């Protein structure tokens, strides 16, 4: 979906890496972590790249791993676009496309595609479901009976399908027990039976079902927070849900919503005094939810236009450093303490001494941005033409930000060495500024 002209990545990024290694690295990328690294690995999943030199002709393993990375983070729309660009003709690819279609509210489209090519049906329950969706209830019931007789579906699948095909037969029966391993098809059928499962403990792909207003505002809020943290939805979509109505309760998410709405009203009024009052509580709320970077993406530009001073001014600059405007903030503002001076230098890609209070992350970042760039452990991969593999390994280290100082330094230096300076700076700033 993303050509080299947009990504800046060479088409032969995978080089001579073994497909199995790349597949494992793709599938083990963190679902949540530093937003700069989540953005980068999603870009890798969507980038137009040549296959590794050892890939078998027609092999789809790496393509499936890229899809699975997107699906694990709940990035359904990009995953669907990627599948449709390639064409969902392979059974394994079609199964993922069928699941995504169900989770994005397009079951009829998925069933129509399956009807046009019956041999590609992902499961027997999917065939029965689509027969029923198409209005052929008798054929669906006959298929269910046949599948049960032949042992092609489990007892639990048969029970759910029977309820889906004829819910009146089960009136007065207790609801189906919770199932943490639901498939998208089973989820869809339970919703149709008015037994909507709680998505709290389900994978992120299921959380999209709670974004529409029909799910209720509390479910929408939880879904928007989770999907924004994983980078699956844009910050503006999260903000529109957060500001949809006034909270009628207190505690947890409601307090976050109230703090954000009060700040949003102040920033819309462009009132410096009110913004100074409302900024710190809103920022604390965003820290609790892990949404600092989404907040910065939305509000940094307007914050930086206001004449804020003191602690509010410093916090506004911190927000700016976490936004795409990070370099402009560092160029225009005057640092007020050692921590801010260090962050400004990193935002400009300049060497600087880590403040004594900075901790391990600050030392790691200072070493990565030293005047003489240190050697790093990924050089053998670069020497062997395995740039993509090196980047995936470094991304795993940076995404969580929990390795030792040398690990973090090596990963940041790699990104800088291969020209991914913006990703390195944003990741470094997030390591520094999202800790407190």
């Amino acid at each position: 979906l993303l050509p080299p002209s947009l990504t800046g990545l060479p088409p032969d990024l995978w080089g001579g890496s073994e497909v199995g290694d790349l597949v494992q690295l793709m599938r083990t990328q963190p679902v949540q972590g530093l937003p700069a690294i989540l953005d980068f690995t999603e870009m890798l999943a969507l980038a137009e790249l040549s296959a590794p030199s050892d890939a078998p002709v027609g092999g789809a393993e790496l393509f499936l791993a890229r899809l699975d990375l997107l699906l694990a983070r709940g990035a359904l729309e990009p995953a669907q676009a990627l599948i449709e660009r390639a064409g969902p003709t392979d059974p394994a690819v079609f199964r993922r496309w069928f699941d995504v279609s169900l989770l994005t509210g397009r079951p009829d489209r998925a069933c129509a595609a399956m009807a046009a090519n019956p041999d590609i049906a992902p499961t027997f329950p999917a065939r029965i479901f689509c027969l029923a969706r198409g209005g052929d209830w008798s054929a669906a019931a006959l298929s269910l009976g046949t599948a049960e007789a032949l042992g092609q579906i489990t007892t639990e699948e048969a029970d759910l399908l029977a309820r889906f095909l004829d819910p009146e037969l089960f009136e007065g029966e207790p609801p189906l027990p919770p199932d943490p391993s639901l498939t998208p098809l089973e989820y869809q059928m339970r919703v149709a039976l008015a037994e909507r499962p709680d998505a709290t403990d389900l994978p992120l792909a299921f959380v999209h079902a709670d974004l529409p207003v029909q799910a209720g505002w509390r479910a929408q809020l939880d879904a928007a927070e989770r999907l924004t943290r994983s980078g699956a939805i844009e910050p503006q979509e999260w903000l529109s849900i957060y500001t949809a109505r006034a909270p009628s309760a207190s505690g947890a998410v409601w307090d976050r919503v109230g703090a954000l709405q009060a700040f949003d009203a102040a920033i819309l009024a462009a009132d410096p005094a009110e913004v100074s009052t409302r900024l710190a509580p809103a920022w604390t709320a965003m820290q609790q939810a892990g949404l600092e970077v989404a907040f910065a993406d939305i509000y940094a530009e307007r914050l930086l236009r206001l004449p804020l001073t003191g602690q509010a001014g410093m916090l506004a600059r911190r927000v700016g450093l976490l936004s795409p405007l990070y370099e402009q903030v560092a160029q225009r503002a005057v640092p007020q303490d050692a921590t801010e001076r260090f962050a400004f230098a990193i935002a400009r890609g300049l060497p600087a001494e880590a403040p004594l209070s900075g901790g391990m992350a600050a030392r790691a970042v200072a070493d990565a941005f030293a005047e003489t760039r240190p050697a790093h452990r990924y050089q053998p991969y670069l020497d062997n033409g395995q740039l993509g593999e090196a980047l995936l390994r470094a991304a795993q280290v940076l995404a969580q930000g929990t390795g030792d100082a040398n690990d973090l330094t090596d990963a940041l230096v790699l990104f800088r060495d291969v020209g991914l300076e913006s990703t390195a700076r944003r990741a470094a700033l997030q390591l520094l500024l999202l800790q407190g």
Side-chain angles (χ1 to χ4, degrees):
L1 292 181
L2 302 177
S5 59
L6 288 179
T7 65
L9 300 172
D12 61 347
L13 184 79
W14 304 130
S17 292
E18 294 186 8
V19 171
D21 292 338
L22 296 174
V23 167
Q24 175 70 10
L25 288 166
M26 275 284 183
R27 291 207 165 113
T28 54
Q29 291 297 316
V31 171
Q32 295 185 352
L34 287 189
I37 301 303
L38 295 184
D39 288 348
F40 174 75
T41 48
E42 181 170 332
M43 180 182 72
L44 279 186
L46 296 170
E48 183 182 306
L49 300 168
S50 302
S53 58
D54 83 325
V57 176
E61 293 86 357
L62 183 54
F63 180 69
L64 292 176
R66 292 160 64 189
L67 287 177
D68 290 341
L69 180 149
L70 297 170
L71 295 175
R73 294 180 182 174
L76 299 187
E77 296 291 346
Q80 187 161 40
L82 190 62
I83 293 172
E84 292 178 358
R85 174 74 178 269
T89 53
D90 178 88
V93 176
F94 183 86
R95 178 173 63 79
R96 289 163 172 79
W97 183 76
F98 187 86
D99 288 348
V100 170
S101 297
L102 293 178
L103 293 171
T104 54
R106 302 180 179 104
D108 291 336
R109 187 178 180 212
C111 287
M114 194 169 69
N117 189 2
D119 293 337
I120 210 169
T123 62
F124 223 103
R127 296 181 186 179
I128 297 169
F129 171 81
C130 284
L131 285 170
R133 290 284 305 187
D136 197 344
W137 297 95
S138 59
L142 178 61
S143 296
L144 173 58
T146 302
E148 281 189 279
L150 297 175
Q152 293 175 318
I153 58 175
T154 66
T155 302
E156 292 77 15
E157 288 173 332
D159 189 19
L160 176 56
L161 283 163
R163 290 173 184 244
F164 176 72
L165 294 177
D166 198 348
E168 293 182 0
L169 288 177
F170 297 88
E171 285 188 6
E173 293 282 332
L176 291 164
D179 183 357
S181 59
L182 285 176
T183 67
L185 178 60
E186 291 164 347
Y187 183 92
Q188 184 81 14
M189 288 192 285
R190 288 189 182 222
V191 170
L193 292 169
E195 296 182 16
R196 187 186 196 91
D198 183 1
T200 303
D201 296 322
L202 293 176
L204 282 167
F206 290 84
V207 177
H208 279 265
D210 284 344
L211 287 179
V213 68
Q214 294 87 343
W217 194 32
R218 174 57 191 267
Q220 284 184 289
L221 292 168
D222 291 342
E225 287 188 346
R226 289 183 67 189
L227 292 171
T228 303
R229 282 195 295 269
S230 73
I233 63 173
E234 293 297 322
Q236 287 293 348
E237 187 173 355
W238 157 72
L239 179 64
S240 69
I241 292 174
Y242 243 58
T243 56
R245 64 187 78 170
S248 57
S250 61
V253 69
W254 305 115
D255 290 345
R256 293 198 292 273
V257 169
L260 189 282
Q261 288 187 0
F263 170 78
D264 186 67
I267 203 86
L268 287 172
D271 183 337
E274 188 69 7
V275 168
S276 294
T277 300
R278 301 295 184 180
L279 176 56
W283 184 250
T284 299
M286 296 302 97
Q287 289 177 309
Q288 293 169 353
L291 296 171
E292 301 100 312
V293 174
F295 178 88
D297 286 349
I298 294 170
Y299 291 112
E301 185 174 3
R302 283 177 286 172
L303 261 179
L304 295 169
R305 288 201 298 259
L306 296 175
L308 304 180
T309 58
Q311 292 300 312
M314 290 189 71
L315 184 49
R317 292 192 294 276
R318 184 177 185 178
V319 172
L321 289 170
L322 289 170
S323 79
L325 303 176
Y326 62 91
E327 192 166 7
Q328 295 179 34
V329 174
Q331 290 173 338
R332 296 176 182 176
V334 177
Q336 300 301 303
D337 60 19
T339 299
E340 198 170 60
R341 186 177 305 109
F342 179 61
F344 281 11
I346 300 307
R348 299 174 66 188
L350 301 175
E353 185 176 344
L356 296 178
S357 60
M360 182 270 291
R363 294 194 302 274
V365 169
D367 289 345
F369 285 79
E371 188 168 357
T372 301
R373 199 172 296 174
H376 58 82
R377 69 189 64 183
Y378 301 101
Q379 191 60 50
Y381 293 100
L382 303 187
D383 294 341
N384 291 331
Q386 298 170 319
L387 171 58
E389 182 175 348
L391 290 170
L392 285 172
R393 293 183 184 278
Q396 283 185 322
V397 171
L398 286 174
Q400 298 295 352
T402 54
D404 65 26
N406 290 335
D407 292 337
L408 296 175
T409 296
D410 283 352
L412 288 170
V413 171
L414 169 67
F415 276 88
R416 299 194 74 202
D417 271 358
V418 300
L420 295 167
E421 181 70 14
S422 177
T423 299
R425 292 191 203 178
R426 294 206 70 180
L429 289 168
Q430 289 166 15
L431 283 170
L432 296 173
L433 302 177
L434 295 181
Q435 295 183 341

